[in-house]
Amino acid sequence: MSITFQTKPGLVVYLTAGDPSLEATYDIALAAIDNGAQVIELGVPFSDPLADGPVIQRASERAVGRGVRLQDVLQLCGQIRAARPASGIILFSYLNPVVRMGLPAFCAAAKASGADGVLLTDMIVEEATEYLAEMRRNDLAPVFLAAPTSPDERLKAIAEHSRGFVYAISRVGITGKQDAIGSDAEQLVRRLKQFTDLPVAVGFGISRAEHVAAVMQFADAAVVGSAIVQLIEESQPGDEARAVGDFVRGLAGK
Amino acid sequence: MPVLEQVTEVSRSMGTGRFGAYGGRYVPETLMAALLELEAAYLNAQRDPAFQQELDGLLHHYCGRPTPLYFAKRMTEQLGGAQIWLKREDLLHTGAHKINNALGQGLLARRMGKQRIIAETGAGQHGVATATVCALFGLECVIYMGEEDMRRQELNVYRMRLLGADVRGVSSGSATLKDAINEAMRDWVTNVRTTFYILGSALGAHPYPTMVRDFHRVISKEAKRQFAEQVGRNPDAVVACVGGGSNAIGAFYEFIPDQNVRLIGVEAGGRGPGLGDHAARFNMQGGGIPGVLQGTYSYVLQDDAGQVSLTHSVSAGLDYASVGPEHAMLHDQGRAEYVSASDDEALNATKALSRTEGIVPALESAHAIAHAMKLAPQMGRDKVMMVNLSGRGDKDMGIISRELHLGSGPAENKGTR
């Protein structure tokens, strides 16, 4: 298990795998790790990303258009694992590509690729019986999302079934940048901490070093997604890894 | 009892909305509290006679229920087989069955104190029905619609705007129904605390498929009674088009226990059998495979990597990559049969019904007519068939006139009968 947030700040970096190319994602992931990201969330592009804002939607559409498949993302995960044995890697997907492969086959392949855990955007704890059994069988960490709208009873179940860390959604909404981190996030993390000793990572709308610093006041890590995906979109071809590396270093305040 | 315990209690009693292996609830966690709240409110409303009374009153006085069961005599004679009876949902206020559900959910939204309504629409009929209900109840209304659908169902866009709705175009994907649902769900995730999502088909996460079906059950309830009165017995077959499947499940539901009534759903065969050329989830080679789309587990047209396919149909209302989970169950059980009709067959059926009965069907409903025209001659003259005429064709006049060359002069446009 390589999901730890020993160094501060705890940083999780989300990447849409295959945008702009699988090779580029590999370079970008290593650059992010080398500049302070403890965990990489490797996003599987999907045709219908209904929890995502425009930035990740566009990235997903580009990668799907390029023919990037779950199988390719698993292979990419294996390559990143080989290059950076100590860092954390989470596979981040909508459910359908995983269901298409089959839960047992997917979990076995995820393990073989060296992933530490899996986050399925549209999988809630009530529906997760078979998924959790397969994850356990393969010694993989299921990471569930917790939302500001989740009542305590649900947070308890989410905390109990998560391994590695719990992903707290900072606000009610889809992924994407925002100006400031609202009070929803802190309240949610406090409520979650009643039920678990696992690290809590806060995501959605975190794009600047001051956001990361604010989150670190009450949580264990910050997840940065859309800001990095947008930076990749706006970078000159070939310059993405350098740009992301610099950006991550900046987020970490170094 | 605190609200939370109440919600949990209720949700236990209703399960997780499974239809055999299908259905369930696959949504971002942010929506779960809202889905549980909705489920509790719906169950509570169902048990409240005043709610049902108000709904029935509006369905009668505002919408025009019961809709007639009409014997299509000339069409029956021409086909020379089973008697064709049309359940005239096209005569409802706003021109389609969709108002049954929009009204039910609108009343529920009002009961829950939600002031802001969102909905998706494909053909625009659900959008028009929702905009109508919002006007009636004085609620804010936002409708998401694929830009391709806005183009081909332009008249419905104007109707929604006239009714006071904010119609927002969606350009992602194929810019049709699926993409409109994605955008509506994004809105709901963002505004979940204040907003009620009036989902328009028997799709999505629990409790929607059950709730939407319940609001359309009135179709088969009435039809069963009308068949008893007008024919003296049940029909031998019930035929309905299936996009998401709301009119079909409403038309089938009360007949499901009656094993001798054939239930036939007609999907969009589009322009051919290739993936991307049709919306026949059950029927064609390269048809649907069980998967998760937009909150529910059902048949989904997809590639072998699990990416959802584009679809095609001349009718915007059938142009969808998945299908309601209860239909998936009825399909696997063999209780209902699912067939398809092509774009051309639907257009021919539109012309045929217009000219034999003086009824212009919606292109969606025309798929059901097309199959009835194939099936009736294979059945004896003593057999009786119900076709659910789910909507009227006014909204489709642009497409119909282009496809059937109605603008090209009086000679070609002359009636053939």
Side-chain angles (χ1 to χ4, degrees):
Chain A
M1 196 70 66
S2 344
I3 302 173
T4 56
F5 300 105
Q6 298 295 358
T7 53
K8 300 292 166 192
L11 265 184
V12 180
V13 166
Y14 168 92
L15 300 171
T16 299
D19 178 53
S21 68
L22 288 160
E23 296 73 21
T25 305
Y26 172 82
D27 292 337
I28 295 165
L30 299 200
I33 292 165
D34 295 344
N35 284 284
Q38 287 101 330
V39 175
I40 297 293
E41 284 180 356
L42 214 44
V44 178
F46 182 50
S47 53
D48 292 86
L50 57 77
D52 283 301
V55 170
I56 294 179
Q57 281 179 51
R58 286 199 300 271
S60 206
E61 198 167 325
R62 286 191 295 266
V64 170
R66 207 167 284 119
V68 175
R69 304 155 58 93
L70 175 54
Q71 206 56 261
D72 301 319
V73 181
L74 287 161
Q75 204 176 356
L76 172 63
C77 177
Q79 291 161 355
I80 298 169
R81 169 54 71 226
R84 295 293 180 273
S87 68
I89 309 177
I90 299 285
L91 293 165
F92 191 106
S93 185
Y94 286 85
L95 198 44
N96 197 56
V98 168
V99 169
R100 187 72 178 89
M101 182 178 278
L103 276 171
F106 166 74
C107 290
K111 184 66 186 177
S113 76
D116 299 298
V118 175
L119 192 161
L120 298 175
T121 316
D122 42 1
M123 176 66 96
I124 55 164
V125 281
E126 287 94 327
E127 304 283 3
T129 311
E130 186 195 351
Y131 165 62
L132 286 170
E134 291 301 329
M135 292 292 282
R136 219 170 4 251
R137 195 191 322 280
N138 289 285
D139 190 28
L140 287 165
V143 177
F144 284 97
L145 297 166
T149 50
S150 309
D152 281 354
E153 176 185 270
R154 298 191 57 77
L155 292 185
K156 186 164 183 278
I158 287 162
E160 275 169 5
H161 289 107
S162 292
R163 298 284 176 273
F165 65 98
V166 184
Y167 188 133
I169 299 174
S170 74
R171 55 144 194 259
V172 175
I174 52 177
T175 61
K177 294 203 276 189
Q178 65 190 0
D179 281 341
I181 306 302
S183 59
D184 270 359
E186 183 170 356
Q187 260 184 41
L188 173 59
V189 174
R190 287 198 199 295
R191 289 199 294 132
L192 265 171
K193 292 273 184 185
Q194 302 171 69
F195 304 115
T196 183
D197 295 327
L198 284 175
V200 175
V202 174
F204 282 40
I206 295 173
S207 60
R208 300 202 286 264
E210 70 238 44
H211 297 159
V212 174
V215 161
M216 290 308 291
Q217 299 296 311
F218 54 85
D220 303 285
V223 187
V224 185
S226 296
I228 286 176
V229 174
Q230 187 172 352
L231 180 64
I232 293 167
E233 183 177 56
E234 289 165 357
S235 293
Q236 293 298 318
D239 192 42
E240 298 93 352
R242 185 205 58 78
V244 170
D246 289 353
F247 185 71
V248 171
R249 200 165 56 247
L251 288 174
K254 282 165 197 158
Chain B
M1 200 192 292
V3 175
L4 178 62
E5 277 171 49
Q6 223 171 1
V7 167
T8 312
E9 196 54 40
V10 163
S11 103
R12 267 188 214 112
S13 73
M14 204 169 175
T16 51
R18 288 283 166 181
F19 302 94
Y22 302 104
R25 227 172 339 213
Y26 299 96
V27 291
E29 172 64 22
T30 307
L31 293 180
M32 273 310 294
L35 286 169
L36 293 169
E37 183 194 3
L38 173 62
E39 180 183 347
Y42 173 59
L43 285 172
N44 182 283
Q46 256 189 331
R47 285 191 297 256
D48 179 358
F51 178 85
Q52 199 55 50
Q53 220 170 15
E54 185 172 12
L55 178 58
D56 289 348
L58 284 166
L59 285 174
H60 178 59
H61 296 291
Y62 185 67
C63 300
R65 297 214 77 93
T67 59
L69 179 69
Y70 165 74
F71 176 45
K73 187 158 173 282
R74 275 185 22 96
M75 178 167 256
T76 298
E77 277 166 6
Q78 267 186 19
L79 294 170
Q83 290 180 22
I84 294 176
W85 292 73
L86 303 177
K87 180 64 177 159
R88 299 290 309 275
E89 295 294 296
D90 61 316
L91 291 177
L92 277 176
H93 180 43
T94 71
H97 72 290
K98 294 290 186 189
I99 191 80
N100 299 326
N101 169 58
L103 202 52
Q105 288 196 46
L107 279 173
L108 196 56
R110 205 183 58 178
R111 189 183 169 92
M112 293 171 74
K114 306 272 184 180
Q115 288 296 316
R116 182 174 181 270
I117 301 294
I118 58 168
E120 85 295 340
T121 195
Q125 287 303 121
H126 175 60
V128 167
T130 301
T132 298
V133 167
C134 289
L136 181 65
F137 295 155
L139 302 170
E140 183 189 345
C141 182
V142 177
I143 305 289
Y144 291 94
M145 188 170 189
E147 284 179 354
E148 166 66 15
D149 290 341
M150 287 178 76
R151 192 187 55 70
R152 57 180 167 171
Q153 308 278 219
E154 198 180 18
L155 288 176
N156 274 344
V157 176
Y158 300 148
R159 287 170 81 195
M160 287 183 270
R161 287 183 175 150
L162 177 63
L163 290 159
D166 173 6
V167 182
R168 297 185 186 170
V170 179
S171 60
S172 58
S174 53
T176 58
L177 178 58
K178 173 171 76 72
D179 313 292
I181 296 177
N182 284 338
E183 210 51 42
M185 288 189 74
R186 289 183 188 117
D187 181 314
W188 202 31
V189 169
T190 307
N191 301 298
V192 63
R193 285 168 171 149
T194 59
T195 298
F196 189 106
Y197 180 12
I198 299 190
L199 187 58
S201 195
L203 297 168
H206 177 64
Y208 282 105
T210 301
M211 188 168 66
V212 174
R213 178 252 280 152
D214 287 350
F215 287 132
H216 286 304
R217 267 174 81 170
V218 64
I219 301 171
S220 50
K221 261 188 204 159
E222 280 176 14
K224 204 168 182 175
R225 197 185 64 231
Q226 290 166 322
F227 270 106
E229 286 166 12
Q230 294 173 241
V231 184
R233 65 180 181 87
N234 267 344
D236 298 291
V238 174
V239 182
C241 65
V242 182
S246 67
N247 92 82
I249 202 69
F252 290 173
Y253 197 71
E254 296 292 324
F255 294 111
I256 290 174
D258 304 329
Q259 291 293 330
N260 52 353
V261 180
R262 282 176 72 184
L263 305 176
I264 304 168
V266 187
E267 301 185 282
R271 59 193 166 212
L275 195 59
D277 287 335
H278 63 87
R281 290 68 42 109
F282 292 127
N283 284 304
M284 302 231 181
Q285 301 158 336
I289 289 165
V292 171
L293 180 64
Q294 296 171 334
T296 194
Y297 181 62
S298 184
Y299 283 73
V300 180
L301 288 166
Q302 54 180 305
D303 69 14
D304 60 5
Q307 303 296 351
V308 179
S309 307
L310 298 184
T311 51
H312 165 82
S313 171
V314 69
S315 79
L318 304 184
D319 201 351
Y320 183 63
S322 186
V323 62
E326 196 161 10
H327 287 291
M329 179 185 75
L330 293 172
H331 170 267
D332 285 12
Q333 289 172 341
R335 179 61 192 94
E337 309 156 48
Y338 294 86
V339 297
S340 65
S342 69
D343 285 356
D344 288 344
E345 289 169 332
L347 285 159
N348 286 336
T350 302
K351 190 167 166 182
L353 189 69
S354 300
R355 295 193 176 179
T356 55
E357 298 291 343
I359 296 172
V360 179
L363 283 173
E364 289 76 19
S365 322
H367 285 72
I369 299 290
H371 187 70
M373 289 168 64
K374 277 185 253 179
L375 187 62
Q378 300 164 21
M379 294 168 74
R381 286 168 193 267
D382 58 328
K383 300 292 183 196
V384 175
M385 182 194 302
M386 169 177 133
V387 181
N388 197 38
L389 199 63
S390 54
R392 67 178 190 226
D394 307 41
K395 70 183 175 66
D396 295 316
M397 283 322 298
I399 302 170
I400 293 171
S401 76
R402 258 194 316 282
E403 296 289 336
L404 297 180
H405 311 291
L406 303 181
S408 54
E412 204 176 324
N413 191 19
K414 237 180 7 195
T416 51
R417 295 168 186 126

